[in-house]
Amino acid sequence: MCGIVGYVGSAPVSETILDALSRLEYRGYDSAGIAILNSKGLEVRKRTGKLKALAEALQQEPVEGHIGIGHTRWATHGEPTEVNAHPHTDCTGTLAIVHNGIIENYAELKERLLAQGHTFRSQTDTEIFAHLVEEFLKAHPIDAAFRLALKELKGSYAVVLVSAREPHRLFGARNASPLIVGVGKGETFFASDVPAILERTRSVVYLNDHEAVELTVDGPRLTTLEGKPIRRQPTKIEWNLAAARKGGFPHFMLKEIHEQPAAIEQTLMNRLDPAKARVTFDRKTKAFLDTLHANERVIIIACGTAYHAGVVGEYMLEEFVRIPVDVDLASEFRYRDPMLDRRTTVIAITQSGETADTLAGVRLAKEHGAKILTICNVMGSSIARASDAVIYTHAGPEIAVASTKAYTSQVTALALLTLYLAKKRGHLSGAPWRRLVEGLANVPRLIEQALQAEPEIKAIAAKYAAARNFYYLGRRYNVPTALEGALKLKEICPLIHAEGYAAGEMKHGPISLIRDGWPVVVIATHSSVYDKVVSNIEEVRARKGHCIVIASEGDHAIKRHANSLITVPKTEEIFSPIIAAIPSQLFAYYVADANGCDIDQPPNLAKSVTVE
Ligand code: F6R
C-alpha cells in the first residue's frame, strides 16, 4: 500500500523524506518519488523500483529545500512506471500531490477536466486531484481550493499537496486511507503511518476522515471540509519501532487479519453499487466477459491458498452462472496436457502474480488458444501482464507469509464475477438478485463482527494448543474453508499436522484416526447442508473426537453438538466462506502463538514461489 511523507522544517529535506519513506517500505511499493520546493520552484524526481534508485537519482542531481513531499507507490490504476509514480503535478507544474487510496469517480472527473482544457500525463486516478485543485485555484485561495477539490472526491484517499504559491505550508487530508501528523521540535510531518516519523518525534495528531490540515513548522491547523476549525491535542506514542510497523499488532499476520474489512471494501469499490443494485467492472474486463461464449468452459488454476479460493469460485459459478468449471492445481494443470480451446476461459488466481506454476499454466493455456482472466493483487505482475483481462483485488500488500486478506479478497472478487455473469445471463434478477447484492455489500461489516469473537477464539486456541493433529471439516462452500483452515494452521505452526476434508469423506477413511480428544474444526454455518454437517459432527463425537464448531449466530441447537463453539454472523451461503475464514485464521494464529512459532516467517516457506 502506498506510503506518504510530507516534511516542513530545517533539516535537509530530501534526506529526511527518503529516510521516512524507507521506514514505510514494509507497506510494499513498486516506484517512488519526491517533490521539493525551493527558489527554482517545484522539483520532482521519480524512479521505478526501490528507494535506492530514487536515492541514486537524488545523489546525481541533488535537490535542496525546506518543504516537500514523498511517496512510495503500490500500483492500483496504471502500471508501475515512472510516469505513473507520484508526485503528480498540475498543468502549470506549480503544485504537486501524493495520494494513497482509490478515487472512485476519477473517470468522470477526468472527462470534465479534459473538457476544461487540462492535460494529463499519467494513467493514474491520482493526477485528477492536482488538476482539480488547479481548477479551483482560478477563483479561490489555496486552502479553499484544496477543500473544494476534496469535496468532489468519491472513494478513499490520503493526500498531501505542496504548492509553489505556499512556500511554508503543506496541505493534507484523508478519507478511509491512513494519514497522520507528526509534531517535532522545529519540524512537522505528514505520514501514512507512525514508523515513518518515530525516530524524529513521538508526538502524533491522528486525523479523522473528511478533515483538512494545513501544516506549518509550528504545527497542524485542522478544519472540516467547510473550513470550520477543529481542536485536537497530539497523542504520545509509547510503542517501539518494531511494534509501530505492525500498527501495534504483534505480527503482520494479525494486522492483516484485522485489515480484512477495509481490504474487502477496496475489492468491492467501484464494482458493487448496492443503491443501484449494480455490479460492474472496468471497461476492459467487461469487454472480455462479453466475449465469453454461451457454452464457455472455465478452468480455474492456482496454487495453495489461491487454489482454495478457486474451489469456492467453482461452487459459485456453477450454482449461479450454470457454467461448467474445473479447478486445477496449477502445478498439475501445466503437466497434464489439459483440453483447451477458444471456448475455454482459464481463470488464474494469484496474490503475487509471480507464482511460477500459475504463470506456466497461463502461458500454456494461451498457446492453446484459451482466454485468460486473472484475479490478482499485484498490479503489473508477470501473470497480470500475460492475461487478457485482470480483476485486481486491491487488498493491499500482504507481508505475512500466510495469506489471509488476499484469500478473502480473492473470494470476494469471484463473488463479484459470479454476480456479474449471473445477471448478464439472466440467471439472477428481482428480489434474489437484490438480496445477493446487499449481502455482498454487507460482507465488510460482517467481517468486523466476526473479528469481535477474537478473545473467545484465543481461549479455545489455548485449550487445544498442545494437540499435534487436527482435522478440519466442511461441506459445499465450506469444503475450501476447511482446506484453507488446515493449511493456515500447519503453515504457521510446523509442529502440527492438520488436514482439511469434505465432511462427507470422513467415513471413507480419515475417521479411522479419530480418538479421545482429537480436535476437529467443523464449519457448520447456516446452509442447505446444515443437517448433514451436524450428522458428521456426531460421527466424530461418537469416537470421542472434540468438535470445535464454527456456527451461525443464533443457532442455539448447535450448542449440544459442540465441545467448543465459535459463532459468526449469518450471511447468504455463497458468502459464508469469507466470514467463516475469519475465526479459522484467528484460531490458527493463536494456536501458533501459544506454541511460540515464527508466525510471519514460518520455516521453509516463501511469500512468493517463483520457482517450480
Ligand atoms: C498460503 C499461501 C500460499 C499461496 C501460494 C500461491 O498462506 O500464501 O499457499 O497462496 O503460494 O501464491 P500466489 O497467490 O501469490 O500465487
Side-chain angles (χ1 to χ4, degrees), residues 303-306 349-353 355 358 401-403 410 484 487-488 491 607 609:
C303 300
T305 288
I349 306 177
T350 170
Q351 187 283 130
S352 62
T355 301
T358 312
V401 164
S403 194
Q410 285 161 353
E484 175 59 9
L487 177 66
K488 229 53 335 161
E491 228 183 332
K607 183 68 191 159
V609 186

